[in-house]
Amino acid sequence: MATDQTLNLSTTETISSLDNSSASESVSLTALYSTNEGLYRLGNNSKIENALATHTTVSKDGLKYTFTLRQNDKWNDGQPVTAKDFVYSWRRTANPKTAAGYAYLFEGIKNFDAIQKGKMSPSKLGVSAPSKNKLVVTLSEPVPYFKLLLAFPTFFPEQQSLSQSMASNTGQPVLRRPIMVRLRLVVGTALIILGL
């Protein structure tokens, strides 16, 4: 491993958000792709590859997905990334109060439509964490491209305790791996410096 663990990303516009629930433009989404990952990532020719998911089981009717998560991933504060981080993130995104621009991507997940109409609590979204490393998603109908959606930043996990504290404080974004983010403007360009 190199001694200097710094990644410099240059953008032509200011990053509006590093919150995967609210990021909705290409600059923010690109930064999220560079610093986080979800259950899957897109490989060569947009082929789905495992990221945090090490194994996936899909029911015969295509309505239930069970994901086994990698056990060695950590947030920048050293806490493990767990299935509950996905549950929190997805419920937060599905909550109409969050006003997530890409919330509609959750439409195939059980109870999403009722949650969006205010008829159900976000806690009723068809996602659960039966254990630290198992995530279960129940769909309302089969979604043939569901795995592809899961590579999109809106489906990335969020650490609840730090996400909630970030809502009331300014500070470092919550990222997996020991990364700290510093933003610096360079004449019309936002330069993101990521370092250990």
Side-chain angles (χ1 to χ4, degrees):
M1 186 180 292
T3 305
D4 182 12
Q5 295 292 306
T6 301
L7 168 66
N8 293 309
L9 300 174
S10 181
T11 67
T12 57
E13 297 177 33
T14 301
I15 296 170
S16 66
S17 178
L18 288 175
D19 175 353
N20 46 299
S21 290
S22 64
S24 61
E25 39 68 40
S26 65
V27 175
S28 294
L29 294 170
T30 299
L32 285 167
Y33 277 123
S34 299
T35 58
N36 285 282
E37 63 187 350
L39 295 167
Y40 299 109
R41 66 178 153 262
L42 295 180
N44 292 335
N45 301 314
S46 296
K47 184 180 177 197
I48 295 292
E49 297 177 351
N50 284 343
L52 292 178
T54 60
H55 180 74
T56 305
T57 304
V58 182
S59 63
K60 288 182 181 180
D61 62 6
L63 297 179
K64 185 176 181 181
Y65 285 71
T66 303
F67 302 95
T68 302
L69 304 182
R70 254 181 359 215
Q71 297 184 31
N72 60 346
D73 224 353
K74 299 195 182 309
W75 296 100
N76 60 344
D77 66 355
Q79 294 299 310
V81 176
T82 69
K84 286 183 180 180
D85 296 321
F86 283 93
V87 172
Y88 169 75
S89 176
W90 293 17
R91 287 176 178 171
R92 181 173 171 260
T93 299
N95 188 336
K97 292 179 183 176
T98 303
Y102 282 110
Y104 69 89
L105 295 175
F106 287 73
E107 193 169 307
I109 299 175
K110 185 177 178 182
N111 298 328
F112 173 78
D113 291 333
I115 292 165
Q116 286 289 289
K117 293 174 185 172
K119 295 179 180 179
M120 281 189 175
S121 163
S123 66
K124 301 294 184 188
L125 186 68
V127 60
S128 65
S131 71
K132 280 177 47 175
N133 298 311
K134 290 276 187 215
L135 179 70
V136 177
V137 180
T138 305
L139 303 180
S140 53
E141 59 189 55
V143 178
Y145 50 88
F146 187 61
K147 286 184 177 181
L148 187 62
L149 288 175
L150 299 179
F152 194 69
T154 305
F155 290 90
F156 289 178
E158 294 177 41
Q159 189 180 23
Q160 183 174 358
S161 60
L162 292 178
S163 179
Q164 289 173 335
S165 71
M166 292 287 295
S168 59
N169 300 312
T170 57
Q172 298 296 332
V174 182
L175 306 168
R176 282 186 313 289
R177 300 179 194 83
I179 295 174
M180 300 305 283
V181 176
R182 295 183 303 269
L183 298 176
R184 181 173 64 195
L185 288 178
V186 179
V187 190
T189 301
L191 176 66
I192 308 168
I193 302 172
L194 305 170
L196 294 178

